[in-house]
Amino acid sequence: MSAPEQSAPLKKYHGNCHCHAFEFSVMLPELKEVYECNCSICSRRGVLWAFPLKDSDFVIEKGEGTLTEYSFGPKTKSHKFCPTCGTAVYTTATNRPEGQSTAVNARTFSKPHFDIHPEGLYSSIKITSFDGAAMGPAYEFSPAPPHDLQPDEGEKLYHKTCHCGALHAVIAAPPAEDWVATACNCSICTRNGSLWYYSKNPKARFLPSKPEAVTNYTFGTGIAVHKFCAICGVEVVNTFSPELSHPVTGKDTAATNIRGVEGVDVQKLEVTWVNGWDILSSYDD
């Protein structure tokens, strides 16, 4: 994946992490195509990449120095995310052409909200797949911490991790080929690219192997707490206030972000869309 050759006038796009601690603008040809990478980190974050023609086309407007950086393997890429809300904003890479090291997560674009919901403004955008997983060694899952969850008849145990292995989740669920994943176009799920599997609380466990890496983020009504890793930025689960009823799933519900579940190819799952942008409280994009 690399920056396209300039063949059309450039347009300015604005973007931000969810909590607005970091804001930017970027000049790009009119956005008609984004790139989806299946490597171990991009697939967990659900990022959709856009490539400025040159690094100077990406301008930080607020929050210089606030993002956390995460690298792994050969450390040719620095993945930058907000330590407050977990939004993956952009990467820089030493293995791209000089002056073209920046890739921006189009999910963070605002005004208008980057909505790829079937009826959303960007629903017709072309999403081109890139086989980043083939460029390096296979990802090795770290084992889940001890837990007491046992599957019932007809169920299996599924294991989810963040990228660095600090946070884990397990769920007891029917075979994955029967799952229906939920995608939501609300302001936070759009930015995180989350795909949710909902189950009742007794069927799920959140298992941090490094409790100090758990970061909780909530906003608006406070009904949901998004739990992501302070080290790698990957969101693992979404927990809900027991006093409040989720407008879609009701009470006593656990939500696991199934991007990064061991042995599950999310590209093969049926997906249902929820119009969370309209259901949930307004958000200043």
Side-chain angles (χ1 to χ4, degrees):
M1 296 183 294
S2 60
E5 295 182 3
Q6 183 169 352
S7 58
L10 298 183
K11 179 179 178 180
K12 180 180 283 190
Y13 291 87
H14 293 273
N16 54 271
C17 68
H18 189 268
C19 70
H20 281 273
F22 187 89
E23 299 177 355
F24 67 89
S25 62
V26 61
M27 301 295 295
L28 295 165
E30 184 176 359
L31 201 63
K32 297 180 180 179
E33 182 178 21
V34 291
Y35 297 85
E36 182 177 45
C37 174
N38 67 350
C39 77
S40 57
I41 184 67
C42 293
S43 60
R44 278 169 167 75
R45 290 175 164 175
V47 289
L48 296 173
W49 295 116
F51 295 89
L53 298 172
K54 55 185 184 296
D55 292 339
S56 59
D57 288 338
F58 178 80
V59 177
I60 298 173
E61 298 186 347
K62 176 184 175 183
E64 179 81 50
T66 61
L67 300 185
T68 296
E69 299 187 15
Y70 176 67
S71 296
F72 63 97
K75 300 186 184 301
T76 57
K77 295 180 176 64
S78 175
H79 300 264
K80 298 171 173 59
F81 66 93
C82 177
T84 301
C85 62
T87 302
V89 182
Y90 73 108
T91 68
T92 55
T94 58
N95 60 352
R96 294 198 190 108
E98 184 176 356
Q100 296 181 341
S101 68
T102 303
V104 185
N105 184 7
R107 288 187 179 274
T108 64
F109 290 179
S110 57
K111 300 181 179 61
H113 174 60
F114 190 78
D115 187 2
I116 57 172
H117 180 277
E119 297 179 358
L121 184 65
Y122 288 97
S123 60
S124 63
I125 197 166
K126 180 181 179 182
I127 300 176
T128 298
S129 298
F130 174 77
D131 191 10
M135 298 181 66
Y139 178 82
E140 295 185 8
F141 280 81
S142 55
H147 60 86
D148 61 353
L149 185 59
Q150 296 296 324
D152 291 331
E153 185 176 354
E155 295 180 334
K156 296 172 62 177
L157 282 182
Y158 290 91
H159 174 214
K160 151 85 183 188
T161 70
C162 66
H163 190 269
C164 69
L167 307 185
H168 300 251
V170 291
I171 53 176
E177 55 265 28
D178 297 331
W179 291 4
V180 177
T182 300
C184 174
N185 71 337
C186 77
S187 58
I188 186 67
C189 292
T190 291
R191 282 171 169 78
N192 289 349
S194 304
L195 276 178
W196 299 112
Y197 181 82
Y198 291 103
S199 53
K200 292 300 180 182
N201 278 319
K203 292 291 185 179
R205 300 287 188 275
F206 177 52
L207 304 167
S209 60
K210 295 182 179 179
E212 67 276 12
V214 179
T215 304
N216 297 318
Y217 178 67
T218 190
F219 65 99
T221 63
I223 189 173
V225 179
H226 297 261
K227 295 181 181 290
F228 68 91
C229 178
I231 300 169
C232 64
V234 171
E235 182 176 32
V236 176
V237 298
N238 197 352
T239 60
F240 304 107
S241 169
E243 293 81 22
L244 300 172
S245 179
H246 189 277
V248 176
T249 60
K251 289 189 174 183
D252 194 32
T253 300
T256 303
N257 182 9
I258 55 176
R259 292 188 183 274
V261 171
E262 188 171 4
V264 175
D265 183 354
V266 297
Q267 301 295 335
K268 296 180 180 180
L269 299 180
E270 180 183 350
V271 175
T272 185
W273 278 90
V274 171
N275 189 4
W277 181 264
D278 289 338
I279 294 172
L280 302 175
S281 298
S282 62
Y283 168 77
D284 182 10
D285 208 21

